[in-house]
Amino acid sequence: MAGAEELESFAAWIEGVIRDRGYDIDSPRGGGKSQLADAAGVHRAAVTRLLQRQSMPDLETMRRLARVLRVPIRDMLIRSGQLSPEELPVPEGAATPASGTGDEEDGGPGPQGPPLSLERAATLLGVSEEQREMFIRVAGQFLPPGGAEADRHAR
């Protein structure tokens, strides 16, 4: 079970990730905690308790936060002190995604590296040339405002 030291360390790290992802958690009226909780489908109180260093989120809350914050659940579990790297090894031959930490100590490229373009996603998913434009148009509808346009300029 994680102790006070792990909670402090994890909360400090996750605060940085949350800010990097654009959630305003510093201003009382910024609404970032509520926006994050809504996006993750968790109670706002769980986010507040974590940021106030009162309690560690449960596994399901961690999974949901990891998904929304685009952080591997493995990183969340290790950084929270729930499991050690030895207890949760990376399968041999598996790609190791950027951890989203930006820490110099882990040698990572920063919070998330360059964003994945819809064109690149289509290529990685094996979308045929004939269906590519439709894929980009449809997938672009799910991006935040400005995301689809920014993606078109990235190509």
Side-chain angles (χ1 to χ4, degrees), residues 6 24 31 35 48-49 52-53 61 64 67 69 71 75 79 82 86 90 98 107-108 110 123 134 137 140 153-155:
E6 287 89 357
D24 180 3
Q35 290 170 349
T48 299
R49 284 191 305 267
Q52 291 179 347
R53 279 72 168 163
T61 300
R64 290 171 182 237
R67 179 184 45 81
L69 296 171
V71 175
D75 288 5
R79 285 189 170 267
Q82 303 297 313
E86 295 76 26
V90 175
T123 300
M134 182 186 300
R137 197 170 39 250
H153 293 285
R155 287 189 271 147

Side-chain angles (χ1 to χ4, degrees), residues 76-144:
M76 296 275 283
L77 292 170
I78 291 170
R79 285 189 170 267
S80 69
Q82 303 297 313
L83 294 170
S84 71
E86 295 76 26
E87 293 171 309
L88 198 57
V90 175
E92 194 160 322
T96 53
S99 65
T101 62
D103 288 349
E104 292 176 17
E105 70 187 43
D106 67 11
Q112 56 189 334
L116 177 65
S117 72
L118 290 176
E119 183 70 36
R120 178 75 176 129
T123 300
L124 292 171
L125 291 169
V127 175
S128 69
E129 288 296 324
E130 299 81 38
Q131 295 179 325
R132 191 163 298 230
E133 190 59 38
M134 182 186 300
F135 171 84
I136 290 170
R137 197 170 39 250
V138 171
Q141 295 175 5
F142 295 96
L143 295 175

Side-chain angles (χ1 to χ4, degrees), residues 37-75:
D38 289 347
V42 301
H43 291 285
R44 184 183 186 277
V47 174
T48 299
R49 284 191 305 267
L50 170 60
L51 295 176
Q52 291 179 347
R53 279 72 168 163
Q54 293 174 351
S55 68
M56 192 69 76
D58 63 28
L59 179 59
E60 185 57 29
T61 300
M62 273 201 207
R63 282 184 186 175
R64 290 171 182 237
L65 290 172
R67 179 184 45 81
V68 167
L69 296 171
R70 299 178 317 275
V71 175
I73 187 66
R74 179 181 190 277
D75 288 5

